[in-house]
Amino acid sequence: MSTLTGTRHLVRLILRRDRVLLPLWVLVLAVLPVSYAKSFFALFSTAAERAAYASGTARNPSIVALLGPVYGESVGALTAQRGGFLLVIVALASLLTVIRHTRTEEEAGRRELLGGTVLGRHAGLTAALLVTYAADLLLGLVTAVGLLGTGLPAAGSLAYGLGTALVGVVFATVGGLAAQLTETAGGARGIGIAVLGAAFGLRLVGDTARNDWPSWLSPLGWAPRLRAYEGERWWVLALPLAVTVLLAAAAYRISVRRDLGAGLLPPRLGPATAGPALSGPFGLAWRLHRGQLLWWSVGFGLLGLILGGAAEAAGKSVEGNPQLEQIMARLGGASGLAEAYLGATLSLAGLAAAGYGIQAALRMRAEETGGLAEPVLATGVHRTGWLLSHLLFALLGPVLVLAVTGFTTGLTYGLSVRNVPGELPRLVGAGLAQVPAAWVLAGFAVLLYGLLPRLASMAWAVLAVCVLLGQLGAVLELSQWLLDLSPFTHTPQVLRDQWPATPLWALSALALLLAAAGLTAFRRRDLPTT
């Protein structure tokens, strides 16, 4: 029997399980650069306007730190730079997809069950990598075709698409290697996200320094240095390909040497007896959620520092272009361009915070399918208390994350305009205004878990739809009733002097109703439901 025996069947199984989630993230990430290109074509009708925008962007270190460098004044060059942060999302999606279908399967015991059949040693890792590689390449192809359809040059569109795809390929392989190093999916995700964070840090330092050599050490820095639309340097593609081969070779070598279910790194043993904090469901939930809550808060705090520092320059970079000023004002809903920028970016932060709420809510599903919920509920712990302990983090987590984002954004923006006492509370409030909309998606995840647990992951699809409506609704001129399906459409722009509080109460009430319905359904159904 070959070490790859059964790979084809596992590929079909992965495609069957991810038949909704995989196409969604590919579609969302492919459509966004196309929307950026269309926006730039509509907003900058002259070369002088594009040059002014590019110059203002290049001079602002906060914008460059977030998006990367801009190498030209064409619409293509501006589009490539505007999509710079999408590389982080592509990397994260690829990383988590591979870990989900490798280490998570081993931790749940399903890999051992399949291993009892005619299945080669490397079939699981190979299948996960092949599916993710194919998704990344499809993402790159769809992106290139979409950009070509906007009127951008073919060579630049292909370079941008390939650069984006190979970032995903590299980090998919990082996920495959991380899955061989630890015994838990959480540990593998921690290693993978740490590598991604280090790559982003190197790219940030290199792009904002006089000498950009640190960016050449980061996979996130290679795609911009292809210089799509500005004299493509195709040889740069050899870097992600070489790193992918090296990482894959290491992953397969470790896979041969370790036992099934084990990792290369020894597990860290805990104390022999549990402390008083673990005597109830809320203490256990705190132990399970505290790590990811900490890292989400740190990450959003750093993001707020960058966004706040870029706000003033973002407003100045579009001065003199009435059409862009009008669009930015509509997006942010504030009188000034800087406030419009802050309103728009905090709205995006709200969408991301909703992702934390969904992740925290779906932790219950992971505990159930992993066989960890039933032993807890077999004790004196009531179902209601167990669900509420996880729901607490699904609701309070977005509050903390968005409060931290608003605080750091307000601090840096207040320093730039020399008005910290005035801007800090305003921007903390603007961040917290996104919380009820994030709660709605968390409540919907709880409802799916309680009522239709097998479809609980569809909450991610709902979040993807909200992202699409928010990012592309105005560009595609969608009907208002369609835009109203997203709870973030109803979030008031609190940076205005006057704003209605009714939507916040209505969204909060809807979130609580969804969560209550999910709790009722969970109390009535059998456990576990796989």
Side-chain angles (χ1 to χ4, degrees), residues 202-216 225:
L202 284 171
R203 202 274 298 158
L204 184 153
V205 171
D207 290 346
T208 55
R210 292 187 177 182
N211 193 330
D212 69 344
W213 66 264
S215 296
W216 286 100
R225 278 153 185 79

Side-chain angles (χ1 to χ4, degrees), residues 35-46 49-50 75 150 321-324 327 475:
S35 72
Y36 298 153
K38 290 183 177 179
S39 297
F40 282 126
F41 273 118
L43 298 173
F44 299 113
S45 56
T46 66
E49 291 175 345
R50 292 194 298 271
V75 170
T150 65
N321 187 330
Q323 187 178 7
L324 184 54
I327 295 295
V475 175

Side-chain angles (χ1 to χ4, degrees), residues 57-200:
T57 298
R59 289 196 305 267
N60 186 269
S62 296
I63 295 179
V64 173
L66 181 64
L67 302 179
V70 57
Y71 288 108
E73 300 169 359
S74 66
V75 170
L78 298 180
T79 300
Q81 194 238 13
R82 180 65 181 81
F85 193 74
L86 291 181
L87 297 175
V88 178
I89 303 176
V90 172
L92 183 61
S94 303
L95 175 82
L96 297 180
T97 298
V98 172
I99 292 175
R100 176 172 178 258
H101 292 292
T102 51
R103 176 52 64 181
T104 300
E105 293 296 290
E106 286 193 41
E107 189 177 12
R110 291 187 289 269
R111 177 66 178 82
E112 186 176 9
L113 182 63
L114 291 174
T117 64
V118 183
L119 193 67
R121 176 72 180 183
H122 294 154
L125 176 59
T126 303
L129 290 176
L130 285 177
V131 170
T132 311
Y133 288 171
D136 287 322
L137 292 175
L138 179 61
L139 166 64
L141 176 61
V142 174
T143 301
V145 172
L147 292 173
L148 184 61
T150 65
L152 292 176
S157 300
L158 180 61
Y160 181 84
L162 284 176
T164 301
L166 289 181
V167 167
V169 167
V170 168
F171 280 94
T173 316
V174 169
L177 177 58
Q180 312 306 314
L181 298 178
T182 67
E183 291 189 359
T184 64
R189 286 191 290 268
I191 292 174
I193 293 174
V195 172
L196 177 58
F200 183 78

Side-chain angles (χ1 to χ4, degrees), residues 376-391:
V376 173
L377 295 174
T379 65
V381 176
H382 194 271
R383 285 193 178 201
T384 300
W386 182 78
L387 187 143
L388 288 178
S389 66
H390 291 278
L391 179 61

Side-chain angles (χ1 to χ4, degrees), residues 508-522:
S508 300
L510 177 59
L512 292 177
L513 285 175
L514 291 171
L519 172 60
T520 302
F522 173 70

Side-chain angles (χ1 to χ4, degrees), residues 423-449:
E423 298 298 337
L424 185 61
R426 283 206 320 142
L427 288 168
V428 170
L432 293 177
Q434 308 297 323
V435 168
W439 280 352
V440 170
L441 295 189
F444 184 73
V446 174
L447 175 63
L448 286 179
Y449 170 67

Side-chain angles (χ1 to χ4, degrees), residues 180-266:
Q180 312 306 314
L181 298 178
T182 67
E183 291 189 359
T184 64
R189 286 191 290 268
I191 292 174
I193 293 174
V195 172
L196 177 58
F200 183 78
L202 284 171
R203 202 274 298 158
L204 184 153
V205 171
D207 290 346
T208 55
R210 292 187 177 182
N211 193 330
D212 69 344
W213 66 264
S215 296
W216 286 100
L217 302 177
S218 169
L220 298 176
W222 297 334
R225 278 153 185 79
L226 269 171
R227 296 200 176 185
Y229 305 106
E230 293 295 328
E232 292 77 18
R233 299 191 292 190
W234 298 102
W235 62 266
V236 176
L237 294 175
L239 295 175
L241 291 175
V243 169
T244 297
V245 171
L246 293 175
L247 292 174
Y252 279 106
R253 187 171 182 82
I254 296 173
S255 177
V256 170
R257 293 176 176 268
R258 69 179 180 86
D259 293 331
L260 186 64
L264 181 66
L265 302 177

Side-chain angles (χ1 to χ4, degrees), residues 294-307:
L294 171 64
W295 288 113
W296 274 77
S297 301
V298 171
F300 272 67
L302 294 175
L303 182 62
L305 292 175
I306 297 173
L307 295 177

